[in-house]
Amino acid sequence: MQRRLTAFNVASLIVGFAFLYVPIVLLVVYSFNASQLVTVWGGFSTRWYGQLAQNRLFLDAAWVTLRVAFLSACAATVLGTLAAMALVRHARFPGRFLFSGMVFAPLVMPEVITGLSLLLLFVAIGFDRGFWTVTIAHTTFTLCFVAVVVQSRLVSFDRSLEEAAQDLGCPPAKAFLLVTLPVIWPAVAAGWMLAFTLSLDDLVIASFTSGPGATTLPMRIYSQVRLGVTPEINAISTILIGVVAAGVVAASFVTRRQERQRLRDERMAAEGA
């Protein structure tokens, strides 16, 4: 029995989506505002994008942010996938409870605590804060999200495929690369995208672990907002929204294409049998 939408449900959906997306739409619209005042519409203009292209502080911060996000997402994807493999394939091993707790601790731990603990660690070992400390911190923070996504896919993975490859003489590492990884690749790609987005968005942890020459874009935007919101902030926020949206659409397209290819292969195999 299908339940029909009531007026209350429709109104709740409209209010919920409006609460989430109207501020984003307004931000995008006012990034094309010709007026210097961000709350007063002065006509359509792209002048703030032109000024943003000449703002060296924002450009340097954006370049640092993209490099940190890319490197930390790659490292977190590798480590998170390995951690998920260990938790799924080895149900019992000494220290498993401690290991799983350490992997998933950043999920529930406040970012302030994570940033402060990493700051104290870097100070204790005498590691100068800068680009690499932010990258390490973001890797530590996003690793758990990758592990959760990949682990959920590995739980439903049919290990008989990998075992069949090993029975035919394929080494374990090669069997993982040729059999397991292509099957779980959508989850790995989703984990990478999630880690990349979280790194782009992070402010608290980067504020604790950054140093000279390693100011990320959220830090630069926050310091600028404290002095007043300018149309340039709307412009760079719109660019960030576009980059993230394009990445999500691309990942969705690739995942859907791989799913269609898998279904086509299964259909051909069934017809051949």
Side-chain angles (χ1 to χ4, degrees), residues 6-233:
T6 63
F8 176 77
N9 292 336
V10 174
S12 300
L13 287 174
I14 294 175
V15 171
F17 281 113
F19 179 78
L20 291 175
Y21 294 109
V22 167
I24 298 178
V25 173
L26 291 177
L27 184 147
V28 173
V29 170
Y30 275 95
S31 68
F32 297 98
N33 185 13
S35 174
Q36 180 97 23
L37 302 175
V38 295
T39 58
V40 178
W41 181 256
F44 181 85
S45 175
T46 58
R47 58 179 291 197
W48 305 115
Y49 289 89
Q51 292 190 12
L52 180 63
Q54 300 175 359
N55 192 322
R56 180 54 55 184
L57 293 177
F58 276 116
L59 293 179
D60 291 342
W63 177 236
V64 171
T65 302
L66 289 175
R67 286 189 297 157
V68 169
F70 178 79
L71 293 176
S72 63
C74 292
T77 301
V78 174
L79 296 176
T81 302
L82 294 177
M85 290 284 294
L87 292 173
V88 174
R89 298 294 177 83
H90 305 283
R92 296 180 180 179
F93 61 86
R96 184 185 188 279
F97 181 78
L98 177 61
F99 177 74
S100 61
M102 293 177 64
V103 170
F104 298 124
L107 282 172
V108 296
M109 188 178 299
E111 293 186 13
V112 174
I113 302 301
T114 302
L116 180 59
S117 61
L118 289 171
L119 170 62
L120 295 177
L121 172 64
F122 293 140
V123 171
I125 64 178
F127 196 53
D128 294 334
R129 286 178 293 163
F131 175 83
W132 290 110
T133 54
V134 179
T135 303
I136 295 172
H138 281 189
T139 301
T140 305
F141 170 62
T142 57
L143 182 152
C144 56
F145 294 92
V146 179
V148 169
V149 175
V150 177
Q151 184 179 5
S152 63
R153 181 64 184 89
L154 283 172
V155 170
S156 60
F157 175 73
D158 187 4
R159 290 196 63 184
S160 62
L161 300 174
E162 188 176 319
E163 293 172 354
Q166 295 180 15
D167 291 339
L168 294 175
C170 188
K174 191 174 182 180
F176 172 78
L177 294 176
L178 297 180
V179 178
T180 307
L181 186 59
V183 176
I184 67 172
W185 178 250
V188 175
W192 188 93
M193 285 296 303
L194 181 60
F196 184 82
T197 305
L198 290 171
S199 179
L200 285 179
D201 182 63
D202 177 70
L203 170 65
V204 178
I205 296 177
S207 300
F208 278 99
T209 57
S210 65
T215 302
T216 62
L217 190 57
M219 295 173 58
R220 179 64 61 188
I221 293 175
Y222 178 72
S223 62
Q224 185 69 33
V225 167
R226 294 176 63 183
L227 302 176
V229 179
T230 63
E232 291 183 9
I233 296 179

